[in-house]
Amino acid sequence: MSKLYFLVGSQDLYGAETLKQVAADNKKMAKFMDGKLKDIVRVELLPTVITSASCIEQIRKVNDDDDCVGVITWMHTFSPAKMWIKGLQMLQKPLLHLHTQANEKLPYDSIDMDFMNLNQAAHGDREYGFILSRLRIPHEVVVGYYEHKETIEAIARFARVAKAIAYSKSLRVAMFGNNMRDVAVTDGDRVESQIRYGWEVNYYAIGDLVKIIDKVTKKEIDAKMEEYESLYTMKTKNVEAVREQAKYEVGFEKFFEKKGIGAFTDTFQDLYGLKQLPGIAAQNLMAKGIGFGPEGDYKTSALSAVFMKMAEGVKGATGFIEDYTYDLTKGKELELAAHMLEVSPAFAATKPVIDVLPLSIGDREDPARLIFDSVQGDAVQVCMTDMGDRFRIICADVEIVKQPKKMPKLPVARIMWKLKPDFKTGAAGWLYAGGAHHAVISTALNREDVAMFCRLTGTELITIGDDSTMSSVAKLAEWR
Ligand code: MN
């Protein structure tokens, strides 16, 4: 189980009685937060920091504990911040600065200087906030009485993002084949990705996978077909084509398990030894939390895996999507997003059907795929681009809507949405920002989740939504 450590600052200036009270308050607060957050993370108290040496000692615990995904810090009294410098310089995990108090209300009738000295977060947290800022340490600030619902919700958000970052740091991505020939936005600096996000992105020959796929047994394929039939409706009579995909998925699973892989890419330009482009095989894996990016798009693949981790336990769907085509009816503009095959069935509004139809691209046999209409609701569309000297994340608020008419001849799963604040501003903003045609879309996450991920990983963020105007998005063109 993941945990957050709760690390509180004080000093020995106020005497033993005060430190005893500080420790007792901390214990009570840690217990309260633990109780409220226990479905996401456990909260565990560390001894109070009162010297530089004790700060270093506790930060070492934070770093060395593999179950620890981050640290919540707070100054109960004044804690001179020079004694935090060396510890904070060592910190390797996400940090939350919780600006709170042990008490909610001021005891107006009884307040004296002892009370003031004991409860002075307004003072001590400013000293501490300065040193975080001075050291340029990426961190999150949450303000509010710790028992208030909104404060707990903000800490819960931090916990989910911190868990996703811990997952990111351990994520391995397999690229079967390379980036699609000549395509720019899907490419990127894999060395920098590993430095900043921890992603170990490695290339494998599709033949490495085919070797495993060729050894998949009839019994294993039967079991996978049973899984498909329990989840989806078989529409096709071409069962052999579906069995071919079942074989691929078993092969992927074996490959991923052996190498500890959590996300992958493929490309229709490099399918040597495969009869079909992976369709239902990729889709069913995505629904299980495996990241996916087509055409060698390792960034979208990894980001989708990390965001699925962030969305764990939150209602809604998260996965890869591609911008495709528009309905430009004036005032009712909609975007139709899909892909050749690979949309996650997590987005299915109704039970997906399995069908085998031509792909009309590449030179392979007709692939089996899942077809469905999508769920509706507020969502974020998030892409990551490589600007040459930094990564940029673009986050657009959208509203997924019901498709206005049936599309009986469209042989793929699809999602339709309204751009915000309106079609022209939303689309222009995405284009000025250099947004990709591949993205992660999520009805579980929102802009705040994405912004927190960006703050804690030091990633540039551009947001587009109801607070955007045509003049504000046009300014994006001036960013360098
Ligand atoms: Mn694509």
Side-chain angles (χ1 to χ4, degrees), residues 415-433:
I415 302 177
M416 291 191 82
W417 64 73
K418 259 192 226 163
L419 278 68
K420 289 186 178 183
D422 56 74
F423 177 73
K424 281 189 185 177
T425 311
W430 193 266
L431 296 172
Y432 277 128

Side-chain angles (χ1 to χ4, degrees), residues 38-111:
K38 64 179 189 310
D39 292 340
I40 308 169
V41 284
R42 301 312 301 252
V43 177
E44 214 172 285
L45 179 66
L46 289 173
T48 312
V49 168
I50 51 168
T51 61
S52 181
S54 67
C55 181
I56 291 167
E57 189 186 342
Q58 302 315 323
I59 296 287
R60 280 199 179 122
K61 275 189 214 163
V62 171
N63 284 341
D64 291 349
D65 186 340
D66 285 342
D67 291 333
C68 169
V69 295
V71 60
I72 305 171
T73 53
W74 167 61
M75 303 303 121
H76 193 317
T77 68
F78 191 83
S79 182
K82 283 184 188 169
M83 73 189 203
W84 285 80
I85 291 174
K86 290 178 187 168
L88 289 172
Q89 282 176 319
M90 297 163 59
L91 180 66
Q92 291 164 341
K93 294 187 179 169
L95 183 147
L96 172 67
H97 182 187
L98 177 61
H99 187 46
T100 191
Q101 289 188 160
N103 56 301
E104 183 187 24
K105 296 182 196 323
L106 271 183
Y108 290 97
D109 296 336
S110 62
I111 186 166

Side-chain angles (χ1 to χ4, degrees), residues 277-418:
L277 176 68
I280 184 173
Q283 290 175 293
N284 203 47
L285 285 165
M286 291 157 90
K288 293 173 186 168
I290 298 288
F292 174 77
E295 294 108 52
D297 187 347
Y298 81 88
K299 296 196 300 303
T300 303
S301 177
L303 198 66
S304 70
V306 171
F307 280 16
M308 279 189 274
K309 177 57 76 176
M310 202 187 291
E312 255 179 28
V314 185
K315 196 168 168 282
T318 303
F320 156 77
I321 196 67
E322 174 170 286
D323 301 85
Y324 238 112
T325 189
Y326 296 129
D327 179 342
L328 289 179
T329 305
K330 206 169 166 49
K332 293 181 183 170
E333 294 90 347
L334 291 177
E335 167 151 359
L336 172 57
H339 203 253
M340 290 186 284
L341 305 169
E342 314 92 333
V343 182
S344 171
F347 287 92
T350 50
K351 202 172 181 183
V353 300
I354 304 173
D355 211 346
V356 178
L357 296 155
L359 191 58
S360 64
I361 191 163
D363 56 355
R364 300 281 139 174
E365 291 178 7
D366 299 349
R369 84 286 305 272
L370 296 169
I371 304 174
F372 53 85
D373 304 334
S374 95
V375 292
Q376 299 165 46
D378 288 332
V380 281
Q381 182 191 9
V382 187
C383 77
M384 177 185 278
T385 58
D386 185 339
M387 300 304 289
D389 56 355
R390 65 194 185 280
F391 290 108
R392 169 180 286 178
I393 283 183
I394 301 152
C395 174
D397 297 330
V398 299
E399 184 193 351
I400 301 180
V401 297
K402 190 173 159 59
Q403 64 183 55
K405 289 180 79 176
K406 282 198 183 318
M407 297 181 239
K409 293 192 172 171
L410 187 69
V412 289
R414 74 301 300 250
I415 302 177
M416 291 191 82
W417 64 73
K418 259 192 226 163

Side-chain angles (χ1 to χ4, degrees), residues 18 37 57 79 118 135 137 165 176 213 236 264 266 323 438 480:
T18 300
L37 299 171
E57 189 186 342
S79 182
L118 176 64
L135 291 169
I137 291 178
I165 289 172
F176 296 108
I213 286 174
T236 184
F264 74 108
D266 61 14
D323 301 85
H438 284 176
R480 292 290 176 266

